[in-house]
């Protein structure tokens, strides 16, 4: 580590909102939730990238902020009427079969069958 810039949630939300022209209500909502939205986090990265450029001098290593790891979506529990391993009624395979069947009928109609 060559440099460190620390930001609290309030500054992070307002700085991310300011550079992205997000209304102040968006920043306040993030503060109430206790976490930044993906948009505010991306905008804060840009603010920190500009701040890091102040430390870049000739002959020294180029500094840039580290990106946080991407967020993984939370696992959704299965619906009450559906088992965890059950497939939906109209899955991709069934839809694909219907599309292939429809295309075959269209080709047959065009060929005068």
């Amino acid at each position: 580590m060559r440099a460190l810039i620390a930001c609290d949630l309030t500054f992070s939300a307002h700085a991310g909102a300011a550079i992205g022209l997000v209304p102040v209500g968006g920043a306040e909502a993030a503060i109430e939730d206790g976490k930044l939205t993906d948009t505010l986090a991306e905008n804060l990265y840009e603010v920190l990238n500009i701040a890091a450029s102040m430390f870049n001098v000739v002959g020294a290593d180029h500094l840039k902020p580290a990106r946080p790891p991407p967020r993984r979506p939370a696992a959704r529990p299965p619906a009450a009427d559906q088992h965890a391993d059950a497939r939906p009624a109209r899955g991709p395979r069934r839809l694909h079969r219907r599309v292939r069947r429809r295309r075959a009928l269209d080709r047959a109609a065009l060929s005068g069958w």
Side-chain angles (χ1 to χ4, degrees):
M1 181 184 322
R2 306 236 190 290
L4 176 69
I5 299 175
C7 306
D8 65 350
L9 179 62
T10 304
F11 172 80
S12 300
H14 286 290
I19 197 167
L21 301 176
V22 175
V24 71
E28 291 172 352
I31 294 168
E32 287 176 13
D33 291 344
K35 61 181 179 181
L36 295 178
T37 63
D38 290 338
T39 302
L40 291 179
E42 190 67 33
N43 291 346
L44 178 64
Y45 176 84
E46 294 303 326
V47 171
L48 295 179
N49 194 21
I50 294 166
S53 69
M54 294 186 298
F55 297 101
N56 291 331
V57 293
V58 177
D61 291 337
H62 180 78
L63 299 177
K64 64 180 182 175
R67 287 198 179 269
R71 293 183 189 170
R72 285 188 268 162
R76 289 185 3 201
D81 62 337
Q82 188 178 23
H83 295 290
D85 58 347
R87 286 182 39 161
R90 292 184 183 248
R93 289 184 183 173
R94 184 173 177 177
L95 180 63
H96 185 64
R97 266 188 263 137
R98 287 188 349 199
V99 169
R100 284 188 301 174
R101 189 178 312 136
R102 183 69 188 161
R103 286 182 183 161
L105 290 173
D106 288 344
R107 279 194 304 268
L110 289 175
S111 67
W113 177 60

